[in-house]
């Protein structure tokens, strides 16, 4: 035991002795939460780098502690900390009664090899993004590491390799990874997936279920040659325009149902009583009334209804071919630049099959009861009840429904176009986008104006996201306002204040999820 502790101490000491990094302390108020007033986040990134003449090694370990999230908020507010896919949970500190959430994750760990012909990177790393600020359609392969539509566009790191080289004046980069990772579809995408199962309501009374979490869970996915993802891009200055053209063959970062089978068996257990005969009585009061009364009636007594529901589904991750174009240039006015970040998607157009099978069985226990008048010892007529027979009857009704659907019916184009003016420490700009970052089925266009001021002491940024949801020729706008003010005058310390607020009441609007983020935050950052 002592030997293990000594080895562990030496290992940890050797890792962290020469490390640098930062630590963040956030305390925030969420305006929309009814379950928790504030949350507190402590997060540290520990970075270490090793150099040699023709190689470079780097790792980044992240450690987070989050307090203040209630059980009801835990699922919806997963955006507060990054959702790394490579995490060591700490059992004694994870999901306590106060919901202290803790994890340790490897953000980056990679090795670079440099030569005159090419540069090679292997490991876990982030890719360079395109020129789009709100998001970059030309940046692929990586999954999104957030939940919502207006948080920081962080990506889950790619596990694989990158190779760089030059062909005359063209800078080339190639990528390869055998692992496909998953993010969260936005609200509209989820709705589109659920519509596929709504047809069953035409013939059934129960609500079919399709677990969205299964569509973004890659933990149990096996890796095969079909999962291979690769890309290549080249950059050149073309008549003063910084031009990057790329091609990617990768997969969407969510799953779709290939086959959905819903089976329901309903059993109606009933008791049916058949009454017939003649009633006679010598009672002086009621005899004259009921004597000779004929009875022939059927009584269906209520019984028990038993429903058996079984749902099976097969999910698949659709692949896509993507052609990207990223342009950046200037205009003949001092201080103005423009950029166009775009991607043309050619998705896998695979049919999904939805089937429902509904069987209803009526199980009837039939009892034939006959009333017969029989003489007694006193020669009085009385009515006896005789059960003459019992029958068991079963009736079956079967209804079937099936539908084929293609989620991706045609190719589509996504882009972000921006215009920016910069002078000294001041920057102002605006971007137009034809869809939100995570949309692939129905697009919500919008604009994103921003303004910033940055010098040696302050970093101030304000932005607005305006999305126009178009539904049946009706346009519904939503507004998200953000602000971030930091004091950066100290070399190893920063203090900042930020806010985010969304205005929208329509729950079907794809930006409605932003309201969960409404709040203010105080952030302290130290560097070491």
């Amino acid at each position: 035991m002592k030997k293990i502790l000594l080895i562990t101490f030496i290992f940890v000491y050797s890792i962290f002795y020469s490390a640098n990094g930062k630590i963040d302390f956030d305390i925030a108020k969420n305006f929309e939460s009814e379950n928790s007033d504030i949350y507190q986040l402590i997060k540290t990134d520990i970075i270490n780098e090793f150099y040699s003449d023709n190689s470079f090694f780097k790792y980044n370990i992240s450690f987070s502690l989050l307090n203040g999230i209630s059980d009801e908020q835990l699922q919806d507010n997963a955006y507060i900390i990054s959702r790394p896919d490579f995490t060591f949970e700490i059992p004694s500190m994870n999901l306590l009664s106060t919901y202290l959430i803790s994890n340790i994750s490897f953000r980056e760990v990679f090795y670079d090899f440099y030569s005159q012909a090419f540069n090679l990177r292997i490991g876990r790393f982030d890719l360079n993004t395109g020129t789009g600020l709100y998001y970059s359609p030309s940046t692929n392969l990586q999954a999104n590491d957030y939940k919502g539509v207006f948080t920081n566009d962080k990506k889950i790191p790619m596990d694989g390799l990158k190779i760089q080289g030059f062909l005359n004046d063209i800078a080339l980069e190639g990528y390869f990874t055998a692992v496909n990772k998953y993010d969260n579809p936005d609200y509209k995408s989820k709705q589109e997936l659920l519509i596929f199962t709504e047809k069953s309501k035409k013939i059934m009374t129960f609500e079919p279920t399709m677990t969205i979490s299964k569509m973004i869970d890659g933990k149990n996915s096996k890796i095969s040659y079909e999962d291979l993802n690769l890309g290549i891009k080249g950059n050149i200055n073309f008549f003063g325009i910084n031009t990057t053209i790329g091609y990617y063959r990768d997969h969407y970062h969510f799953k779709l149902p290939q086959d959905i089978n819903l089976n329901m068996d309903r059993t109606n257990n009933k008791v049916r009583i058949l009454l017939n005969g003649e009633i006679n009585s010598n009672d002086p009061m009621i005899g004259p009334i009921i004597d000779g009364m004929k009875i022939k009636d059927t009584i269906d007594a209520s019984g028990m209804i038993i429903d058996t529901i079984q749902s099976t589904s097969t999910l698949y991750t659709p692949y896509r071919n993507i052609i990207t174009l990223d342009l950046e240039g200037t205009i003949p006015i001092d201080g103005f630049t423009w950029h166009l970040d775009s991607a043309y998607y050619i998705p896998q157009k695979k049919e999904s099959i939805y089937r429902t099978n509904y069987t209803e069985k009526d199980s009837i226990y039939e009892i034939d009861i006959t009333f017969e008048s029989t003489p007694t010892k006193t020669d009085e007529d009385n009515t006896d009840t005789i059960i003459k027979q019992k029958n068991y009857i079963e009736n079956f009704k079967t209804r079937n429904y099936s539908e084929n659907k293609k989620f991706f019916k045609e190719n589509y184009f996504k882009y972000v176009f921006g215009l920016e003016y910069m002078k000294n420490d001041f920057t102002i700009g605006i971007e137009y986008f034809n869809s939100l970052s995570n949309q692939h089925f129905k697009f919500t266009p919008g604009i994103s104006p921003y303004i910033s001021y940055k010098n040696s002491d302050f970093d101030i940024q304000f932005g607005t996201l305006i999305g126009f949801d178009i539904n049946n020729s009706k346009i519904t706008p939503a507004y998200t306002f953000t602000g971030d003010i930091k004091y950066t005058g100290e070399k190893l310390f920063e203090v900042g204040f930020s806010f985010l607020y969304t205005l929208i009441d329509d729950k079907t609007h794809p930006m409605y999820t932003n309201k969960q983020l409404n709040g203010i935050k105080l952030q302290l950052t130290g560097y070491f």
Side-chain angles (χ1 to χ4, degrees):
M1 183 66 180
K2 292 181 179 180
K3 184 181 293 185
I4 295 175
L5 291 175
L6 179 60
I7 294 173
T8 303
F9 173 77
I10 295 174
F11 175 73
V12 173
Y13 180 79
S14 65
I15 288 179
F16 293 107
Y17 178 74
S18 59
N20 60 79
K22 68 173 184 175
I23 183 169
D24 294 318
F25 175 81
D26 297 351
I27 185 165
K29 163 86 175 166
N30 190 316
F31 295 142
E32 299 299 320
S33 171
E34 298 179 356
N35 305 297
S36 180
D37 291 332
I38 63 172
Y39 70 84
Q40 175 180 291
L41 173 65
I42 299 175
K43 182 178 180 181
T44 181
D45 291 303
I46 300 173
I47 303 170
N48 212 338
E49 299 174 344
F50 302 91
Y51 298 86
S52 68
D53 292 338
N54 58 352
S55 66
F56 171 72
F57 176 76
K58 176 183 178 180
Y59 67 79
N60 182 349
I61 300 177
S62 177
F63 176 62
S64 301
L65 290 172
L66 174 66
N67 257 309
I69 299 301
S70 66
D71 190 14
E72 293 80 2
Q73 293 175 275
L74 193 58
Q75 181 176 359
D76 291 336
N77 292 350
Y79 58 83
I80 295 177
I81 59 173
S82 61
R83 184 174 51 85
D85 62 321
F86 189 64
T87 300
F88 298 103
E89 299 291 350
I90 304 175
S92 61
M93 303 176 70
N94 186 46
L95 297 182
L96 300 179
S97 59
T98 56
Y99 280 98
L100 169 67
I101 304 173
S102 59
N103 61 62
I104 301 176
S105 66
F106 279 94
R107 180 66 198 175
E108 287 181 306
V109 52
F110 63 83
Y111 169 80
D112 285 349
F113 173 76
Y114 307 115
S115 70
Q116 293 183 349
F118 64 90
N119 300 329
L120 177 67
R121 173 171 293 181
I122 56 176
R124 179 180 178 86
F125 52 88
D126 287 308
L127 301 179
N128 296 328
T129 62
T131 57
L133 298 180
Y134 166 50
Y135 77 100
S136 174
S138 65
T139 303
N140 296 282
L141 297 177
Q142 291 182 257
N144 290 318
D145 196 14
Y146 63 83
K147 196 173 187 178
V149 293
F150 199 75
T151 56
N152 293 330
D153 193 20
K154 292 184 178 179
K155 301 286 186 177
I156 297 176
M158 188 186 85
D159 303 336
L161 63 86
K162 177 176 74 171
I163 186 168
Q164 296 174 302
F166 290 90
L167 181 63
N168 297 326
D169 294 331
I170 303 176
L172 298 173
E173 285 191 5
Y175 313 97
F176 172 81
T177 177
V179 181
N180 191 70
K181 299 180 180 180
Y182 297 86
D183 56 22
N184 288 286
D186 68 346
Y187 181 82
K188 281 292 186 184
S189 299
K190 288 182 180 180
Q191 289 299 104
E192 184 72 15
L193 296 176
L194 291 175
I195 287 174
F196 191 52
T197 63
E198 289 295 306
K199 298 294 184 180
S200 64
K201 291 182 178 180
K202 293 182 178 180
I203 61 170
M204 296 186 182
T205 58
F206 75 97
E207 189 77 25
T209 58
M210 184 66 201
T211 306
I212 292 296
S213 60
K214 292 182 180 179
M215 298 181 184
I216 58 175
D217 182 12
K219 294 180 181 179
N220 299 321
S221 299
K222 65 178 182 179
I223 299 178
S224 67
Y225 71 93
E226 296 179 347
D227 298 323
L228 303 183
N229 304 292
L230 53 88
I232 184 172
K233 69 178 181 179
N235 175 265
I236 188 173
N237 190 295
F238 186 73
F239 292 102
I241 299 175
N242 188 32
T243 304
T244 303
I245 301 175
Y247 166 76
Y248 298 85
R249 196 277 186 185
D250 71 342
H251 292 74
Y252 287 92
H253 303 292
F254 55 83
K255 299 177 184 180
L256 292 176
Q258 178 177 333
D259 294 286
I260 301 178
N261 296 287
L262 296 171
N263 299 299
M264 177 180 177
D265 294 325
R266 168 165 288 181
T267 302
N268 300 314
N269 294 315
K270 298 180 179 179
V271 177
R272 177 174 294 168
I273 302 175
L274 305 178
L275 303 176
N276 60 81
E278 179 179 316
I279 297 179
N280 294 287
S281 175
N282 289 329
D283 187 288
M285 295 295 295
I286 64 173
I289 300 175
I290 67 172
D291 279 353
M293 180 179 292
K294 303 290 185 181
I295 295 178
K296 189 171 182 62
D297 196 4
T298 300
I299 300 175
D300 283 328
S302 60
M304 181 182 296
I305 299 176
I306 302 175
D307 288 340
T308 303
I309 302 174
Q310 183 181 16
S311 175
T312 59
S313 60
T314 303
L315 302 177
Y316 76 102
T317 304
Y319 65 79
R320 58 189 181 181
N321 293 285
I322 310 172
I323 301 172
T324 63
L325 176 64
D326 191 7
L327 305 174
E328 185 177 28
T330 60
I331 61 176
I333 302 177
D334 186 33
F336 277 92
T337 60
W338 62 272
H339 59 265
L340 174 65
D341 195 337
S342 62
Y344 183 70
Y345 290 79
I346 307 172
Q348 180 183 9
K349 302 176 180 67
K350 187 174 183 177
E351 280 196 344
S352 299
I353 303 173
Y354 171 71
R355 304 181 186 92
T356 59
N357 302 294
Y358 177 68
T359 301
E360 185 172 346
K361 180 174 69 175
D362 291 332
S363 298
I364 305 174
Y365 189 64
E366 193 173 84
I367 304 174
D368 188 338
I369 300 178
T370 301
F371 297 92
E372 292 185 355
S373 298
T374 56
T376 63
K377 294 180 181 180
T378 58
D379 295 331
E380 291 181 353
D381 288 336
N382 286 297
T383 301
D384 288 345
T385 301
I386 300 175
I387 300 177
K388 300 183 66 175
Q389 69 181 76
K390 300 178 181 179
N391 297 320
Y392 186 72
I393 304 172
E394 286 189 339
N395 296 320
F396 290 90
K397 299 176 184 178
T398 302
R399 287 172 283 180
N400 299 314
Y401 175 81
S402 65
E403 178 187 3
N404 293 356
K405 178 183 176 66
K406 286 184 178 180
F407 286 96
F408 294 108
K409 299 179 182 179
E410 55 189 20
N411 305 336
Y412 59 95
F413 182 62
K414 299 183 69 170
Y415 65 90
V416 174
F417 176 78
L419 185 65
E420 185 176 274
Y421 172 76
M422 180 183 297
K423 187 174 182 179
N424 299 327
D425 301 329
F426 176 78
T427 302
I428 186 171
I430 188 171
E431 286 188 329
Y432 172 81
F433 49 87
N434 72 330
S435 77
L436 297 176
S437 59
N438 246 17
Q439 289 184 311
H440 295 283
F441 300 111
K442 183 178 179 180
F443 290 172
T444 301
I447 59 174
S448 178
Y450 58 91
I451 185 172
S452 66
Y453 177 81
K454 185 175 182 179
N455 60 20
S456 58
D457 292 328
F458 290 96
D459 185 357
I460 303 172
Q461 300 180 38
F462 294 99
T464 303
L465 178 71
I466 307 174
F468 303 97
D469 186 37
I470 303 174
N471 190 8
N472 296 326
S473 300
K474 180 183 177 181
I475 300 177
T476 304
Y479 309 89
T480 296
F481 305 96
T482 63
D484 192 356
I485 303 173
K486 290 182 181 179
Y487 173 71
T488 58
E490 298 294 332
K491 184 177 180 180
L492 300 177
F493 178 75
E494 292 180 359
V495 57
F497 167 82
S498 64
F499 69 88
L500 185 148
Y501 198 83
T502 296
L503 295 174
I504 182 62
D505 293 326
D506 185 359
K507 293 184 178 181
T508 64
H509 197 289
M511 287 175 56
Y512 184 82
T513 54
N514 292 2
K515 295 193 70 172
Q516 299 175 5
L517 306 167
N518 285 355
I520 57 176
K521 179 174 68 174
L522 174 66
Q523 179 176 341
L524 306 177
T525 303
Y527 296 89
F528 55 90

